[in-house]
Amino acid sequence: MNDRCDPIVGVLRLARRDMLRLGATAALLGGAPISLMASPARDSTIWNFGAAPVTWDAFELVTGDTMVAAARVNGREARGILDTGSGASILSTALAQSARLERREARTISGFNGKTEVAVIHEVEVVLGGERRVLPYAIVSDLSTVSAALGRSIDLVLGADLFQDRCLAIDFSRRRFALSATGSFIPDRSWSSLKITHGSRRELIVQASLHGLKSVPLIVDFGNANALMLSAAYIRDHALLAGRRSSSVALGGIEGLRTASLFTLDSLDLGDVHVPSVPTVGMSNWQPTSAAGAIGLPALAQFDTILDVDNGRLWLRLLPADQRVPMLKDRSGLGIAADTDSLRIVFVSPASPAARDRWKVGEKIVRINGVAIDPSYTVHSLWRWRFDRAGATYMLTLSSGERRRLRLADYY
């Protein structure tokens, strides 16, 4: 196994806002890709690709922070996470085996908070959004933790390599995406344009202002379930925690489990667009050297978005308030791993409602307001309880039979 991080695979990261909260179920996404009929008036004015043909396909927004879309890999149906923060696409071990992609090379790659060992395969055919591409290489890794976190079988991560020489349009309000030729998008005045550059590991970088400070480079990462990630060094150097409530959270990724600081940043400015009150995590062992942090899907989902990597442009159009994807904020303080019939407490955030009520790691929740935990926990809406409004109260039943009332509150 090579003891190095190979820059050709870029930065790979599967960190989630709280991967620990979800668990080991395997409800498959059903059905074929959905080709959505466009509204001619809206599409011709907002999504103007000139004469270039565009076909829209549906994606599912899972647990409010992850885009999952249908694809085909070497002729096999698959479901993957759209993830521009991963320089290379990633196949699950099971998918690589079923597709008979057996010839592999050992590599060590970097995530945002550490390194891990993986295998690399070559000549992988992927069909996404009706377009076929043969990738010169892809990563093979165990995605079972990601599948468990989403309560669905995830076969691959659709990385930035799939969007080279393409223009990626994401319509969050209608849960659809489209691919077109690079340079084909024709923006009107309602769109704001940001320049995209590449980091040392081919990360997609834009300049942004945080808390009204001087602009800094941030990674554009549609596969990141955190609205904003920042390096602990940047947070310290700019005293971003001074005078504000903060806590900590457990995050999971390819590097394993780590704790990160947790707070709410006053503002994020991307060009001339302003995003207030952004939930933020601070990474103590931040690996990328070209950026101070990363903008994740919850922040980007406040906009219609166009990503044209080869053209070096990210276009954003602020959505009406009622069409934006909410930037979810935990108000319980419980880090949980969902088994098929319970939620196991694996972390308790300091100064949170759970810490106040002396919840302990290892305890198990089997019912929420009388509703039993089962494999559909992350498929329907029950998982949303932790993100309810401050002051909402939930009756939680433990595996011992004890019942506890938990009142949600803002704690960071």
Side-chain angles (χ1 to χ4, degrees):
M1 186 74 60
N2 295 332
D3 186 22
R4 63 190 178 94
C5 176
D6 197 322
I8 70 165
V9 299
V11 168
L12 166 65
R13 177 265 331 99
L14 300 177
R16 303 191 48 70
R17 183 199 316 108
D18 185 358
M19 184 170 286
L20 298 176
R21 67 174 192 243
L22 305 169
T25 60
L28 292 174
L29 288 166
I34 302 171
S35 202
L36 301 178
M37 294 300 293
S39 168
R42 184 175 189 272
D43 284 10
S44 63
T45 56
I46 296 176
W47 306 101
N48 184 0
F49 294 92
V54 174
T55 299
W56 292 93
D57 285 298
F59 65 82
E60 183 181 8
L61 191 63
V62 180
T63 61
D65 55 24
T66 303
M67 291 186 291
V68 175
R72 292 181 65 87
V73 178
N74 280 25
R76 285 165 172 74
E77 299 289 344
R79 296 283 167 164
I81 298 172
L82 272 70
D83 186 359
T84 60
S86 180
S89 293
I90 310 154
L91 276 63
S92 70
T93 304
L95 178 59
Q97 290 174 346
S98 67
R100 300 190 178 186
L101 296 166
E102 299 297 337
R103 188 177 177 183
R104 306 179 186 180
E105 301 172 10
R107 296 283 176 89
T108 300
I109 59 175
S110 284
F112 280 167
N113 213 30
K115 298 180 179 181
T116 192
E117 295 178 343
V118 297
V120 172
I121 53 178
H122 298 275
E123 302 299 315
V124 181
E125 180 191 76
V126 179
V127 178
L128 176 67
E131 298 198 1
R132 174 183 176 273
R133 184 183 293 271
V134 177
L135 300 176
Y137 59 87
I139 296 167
V140 177
S141 186
D142 181 5
L143 298 183
S144 59
T145 302
V146 180
S147 296
L150 295 178
R152 291 153 174 79
S153 178
I154 298 299
D155 305 302
L156 75 161
V157 173
L158 301 158
D161 50 356
L162 285 168
F163 307 117
Q164 293 174 4
D165 68 41
R166 310 311 291 161
C167 188
L168 171 64
I170 304 177
D171 183 348
F172 282 103
S173 65
R174 300 172 72 177
R175 306 293 193 265
R176 62 178 190 166
F177 74 98
L179 295 172
S180 185
T182 185
S184 62
F185 179 62
I186 306 171
D188 64 18
R189 292 183 179 180
S190 66
W191 291 86
S192 297
S193 176
L194 296 173
K195 182 180 179 180
I196 291 179
T197 58
H198 285 93
S200 61
R201 301 184 187 279
R202 303 298 295 168
E203 310 100 320
L204 305 181
I205 304 287
V206 296
Q207 295 290 320
S209 173
L210 305 172
H211 194 54
L213 299 171
K214 182 180 177 181
S215 292
V216 293
L218 297 176
I219 297 170
V220 178
D221 188 0
F222 284 98
N224 192 334
N226 301 282
L228 183 64
M229 276 184 170
L230 294 175
S231 73
Y234 181 86
I235 294 170
R236 181 189 63 248
D237 292 346
H238 294 84
L240 293 182
L241 294 182
R244 73 176 74 239
R245 289 184 298 179
S246 64
S247 186
S248 59
V249 67
L251 296 178
I254 61 167
E255 318 89 2
L257 302 178
R258 308 251 185 171
T259 58
S261 61
L262 183 64
F263 64 100
T264 300
L265 192 70
D266 292 344
S267 63
L268 164 67
D269 290 288
L270 296 161
D272 58 1
V273 291
H274 178 80
V275 182
S277 302
V278 184
T280 304
V281 296
M283 311 298 284
S284 60
N285 191 30
W286 179 254
Q287 295 292 307
T289 58
S290 302
I295 307 168
L297 183 140
L300 294 166
Q302 308 306 297
F303 308 93
D304 285 326
T305 63
I306 298 284
L307 176 65
D308 191 337
V309 176
D310 285 25
N311 201 29
R313 287 290 153 190
L314 172 69
W315 283 279
L316 301 174
R317 178 183 177 275
L318 189 64
L319 286 164
D322 62 351
Q323 295 180 24
R324 299 171 198 164
V325 176
M327 288 190 286
L328 300 177
K329 185 174 182 178
D330 173 69
R331 293 183 171 89
S332 72
L334 291 174
I336 56 182
D339 299 319
T340 56
D341 59 357
S342 67
L343 306 177
R344 178 167 43 89
I345 310 303
V346 294
F347 188 80
V348 178
S349 294
S352 70
R356 175 199 62 206
D357 292 347
R358 299 184 178 180
W359 284 77
K360 295 181 176 60
V361 171
E363 293 180 317
K364 293 183 178 182
I365 300 168
V366 296
R367 289 181 179 272
I368 300 172
N369 283 352
V371 180
I373 303 300
D374 64 22
S376 69
Y377 175 71
T378 60
V379 177
H380 302 302
S381 60
L382 187 59
W383 62 271
R384 291 180 177 273
W385 71 274
R386 297 188 309 122
F387 308 102
D388 204 349
R389 71 189 187 284
T393 301
Y394 286 84
M395 181 61 73
L396 307 177
T397 304
L398 278 64
S399 58
S400 64
E402 179 187 355
R403 300 173 72 201
R404 293 184 196 166
R405 198 178 299 275
L406 182 64
R407 183 181 177 86
L408 304 185
D410 291 317
Y411 62 96
Y412 65 92

